[in-house]
Amino acid sequence: MCGNNEHTDSGSIRQSETSRRRFLTAAGAGSVGVLAGCASLASDEGDGETGGESDGASTGDGSGSQDFSGETLRVMVWSGNYADRFEETIKPMYEERTGGRLQVNRGWNEILAKIRSAPEDQPPFDVTITEGYFYLLGRNDDLFLPVRQENVPNLDGVIDYYTDFRTTEFGVPVDGAPTTLIYRNDLDFEPTTWADLAAPEAVNGNGIGIDKGFWWFPQHDAAVAMDEKDLAGEVYDGDLAMNVFDYMESEWNIQGWASSGEDIWQLFENGIIDHAQWYYEQTAYDIDDYENLSHTAPDRNSGFVNHWCPVRGTDKRRMAEDFLNFLLDADTQTRWSENSPTLFTNTDMEYATEKLDEDLPNNSDEAALIAWPEFDYINSNFDKFDQRISEMEASSN
């Protein structure tokens, strides 16, 4: 989720006619951008595949991967530098291990729309990445095949928290990022918590930048700052939920409303903001390109996890599941960490640097300190939350 790609404008989320669930539409011209559903599988008997693909023979290297020589798996990943790093690391590793070929597709807000608009037996790709909200919407509209967990044994090595907090029936938790706090390091003020954005040094500065597209992340970080409930419990309390937005408006000097990482960096470059809420992975990857900026991951914050899902209608279901198993492998994630400063989920993976090991969760106790949004709730309260954030943006201009 953290490539240099533009977010979907949350104002373009509306209700699905088929499921009456919310779905995203693209903000940019020329993008279809509808993230909603298709018909469910009639049955999961056999492979549930439309083609005659073989199961693949074992590679014999102890990795658990199969031999898929001569076969191609089409994989959808986030656009931007996420895709660049994926192609530099994961693509060659998997191709060398299995003999198969990965066709890497890049996308963002149009991902689920492409599945929905394609014939059910001719999906546009075989595996897709999803963050929490996309994962909810895709499940609601039966866009994914169930994961046959006997074919993904590395799921047993995932930190328990990540297999418990969301279902793994249709996707496996592989990577993600907590939010992070970016600040100018020449101001003689180093914030370490989200509450510090309400300190005089921040309030009286140039301003704060936040993500306006996926506003539920700054919403949760603000609730953490309020500290009236455990973590972001204020968001889920009927008497306090709207107070979170009141807190953001009155206590945070929000002057920057960003739809991409590029927006955040430009806001700093233009002198509009001195502090920002953004995402650890992209920030850690990009920040050295900018002068006088640092970032810190507060001990308590929000964040997202990417679930990787086999797409309904694929005739490469077995290869797709092998790929999911590969992504969950501890060695895969350890090597991936060398060029991707992201959160990973295998208990035994090792982060490439001490800073990553310190900043990112290594176990269930540490993962539980992150306020992961509960998207069923966000979805059911979307209209009033989205309207309030839109009013805040309009009043700050």
Side-chain angles (χ1 to χ4, degrees):
M1 179 171 158
C2 290
N4 283 333
N5 36 276
E6 185 172 340
H7 286 354
T8 305
D9 189 328
S10 60
S12 62
I13 301 177
R14 57 181 183 270
Q15 218 171 34
S16 166
E17 293 178 358
T18 56
S19 66
R20 298 192 65 78
R21 297 284 186 176
R22 306 293 177 192
F23 60 92
L24 267 68
T25 57
S31 178
V32 179
V34 182
L35 299 183
C38 294
S40 64
L41 293 174
S43 170
D44 192 35
E45 295 179 1
D47 248 13
E49 298 168 342
T50 59
E53 171 231 0
S54 69
D55 280 350
S58 173
T59 59
D61 64 358
S63 67
S65 288
Q66 305 295 306
D67 185 349
F68 290 101
S69 298
E71 299 197 43
T72 297
L73 188 73
R74 301 164 302 163
V75 178
M76 173 61 76
V77 305
W78 302 128
S79 297
N81 62 47
Y82 185 99
D84 294 339
R85 288 175 274 135
F86 183 93
E87 291 194 342
E88 292 168 1
T89 304
I90 297 302
K91 177 177 165 64
M93 284 176 62
Y94 186 72
E95 291 179 342
E96 179 181 359
R97 186 173 295 189
T98 67
R101 173 176 173 266
L102 286 187
Q103 177 183 309
V104 179
N105 299 273
R106 299 172 179 230
W108 191 242
N109 24 12
E110 78 283 3
I111 289 176
L112 296 189
K114 287 185 175 181
I115 304 173
R116 188 176 187 235
S117 62
E120 292 188 16
D121 61 348
Q122 298 178 40
F125 29 85
D126 305 299
V127 173
T128 189
I129 194 171
T130 66
E131 52 69 58
Y133 199 41
F134 287 30
Y135 187 44
L136 170 70
L137 301 175
R139 297 197 318 270
N140 285 347
D141 288 318
D142 300 311
L143 299 185
F144 312 134
L145 290 174
V147 175
R148 297 169 301 184
Q149 298 193 9
E150 66 271 18
N151 293 329
V152 191
N154 285 331
L155 191 59
D156 292 337
V158 172
I159 293 170
D160 288 341
Y161 189 92
Y162 297 125
T163 58
D164 293 341
F165 87 129
R166 290 187 187 126
T167 179
T168 58
E169 183 178 359
F170 296 95
V172 299
V174 173
D175 59 324
T179 52
T180 196
L181 203 167
I182 310 172
Y183 59 94
R184 295 190 189 276
N185 54 26
D186 55 359
L187 296 179
D188 198 28
F189 172 63
E190 296 185 7
T192 59
T193 70
W194 295 111
D196 287 341
L197 291 183
E201 295 89 340
V203 173
N204 297 327
N206 285 330
I208 297 165
I210 68 169
D211 184 357
K212 71 174 181 180
F214 288 90
W215 46 255
W216 37 88
F217 295 115
Q219 173 198 31
H220 281 67
D221 287 332
V224 168
M226 291 173 67
D227 201 27
E228 295 183 27
K229 294 269 189 178
D230 186 41
L231 275 179
E234 294 88 345
V235 174
Y236 305 95
D237 185 308
D239 294 330
L240 297 175
M242 301 308 292
N243 292 358
V244 177
F245 297 105
D246 296 340
Y247 174 89
M248 294 170 67
E249 188 170 38
S250 63
E251 302 297 325
W252 288 4
N253 178 22
I254 301 173
Q255 297 297 320
W257 301 83
S259 296
S260 70
E262 290 292 342
D263 287 350
I264 286 291
W265 305 125
Q266 195 63 55
L267 288 165
F268 276 111
E269 292 279 285
N270 292 344
I272 296 173
I273 62 174
D274 290 334
H275 304 86
Q277 166 272 332
W278 206 246
Y279 306 97
Y280 189 96
E281 178 191 11
Q282 183 181 348
T283 300
Y285 188 80
D286 287 339
I287 199 166
D288 288 343
D289 294 336
Y290 301 90
E291 295 184 357
N292 297 320
L293 293 180
S294 297
H295 79 107
T296 185
D299 290 337
R300 297 184 305 152
N301 51 9
S302 184
F304 68 91
V305 170
N306 293 319
H307 282 70
W308 294 71
C309 309
V311 177
R312 62 122 178 104
T314 178
D315 62 356
K316 298 293 177 66
R317 188 178 185 189
R318 183 64 186 88
M319 190 177 182
E321 291 169 334
D322 182 81
F323 178 68
L324 300 186
N325 195 55
F326 168 79
L327 293 180
L328 291 174
D329 181 70
D331 180 61
T332 298
Q333 295 188 4
T334 296
R335 292 178 62 184
W336 200 354
S337 176
E338 293 173 4
N339 81 337
S340 188
T342 190
L343 170 161
F344 289 107
T345 60
N346 188 293
T347 304
D348 297 323
M349 71 81 52
E350 296 180 2
Y351 286 108
T353 68
E354 290 185 7
K355 180 169 178 54
L356 292 175
D357 190 63
E358 178 181 341
D359 287 350
L360 301 173
N362 284 280
N363 53 54
S364 289
D365 289 342
E366 293 175 359
L369 296 177
I370 296 178
W372 311 99
E374 297 175 18
F375 286 107
D376 278 320
Y377 176 86
I378 298 298
N379 205 36
S380 63
N381 290 275
F382 182 86
D383 284 342
K384 66 178 182 180
F385 289 168
D386 186 62
Q387 180 179 351
R388 185 69 179 90
I389 205 83
S390 296
E391 291 171 350
M392 288 171 53
E393 181 182 7
S395 66
S396 70
N397 294 330

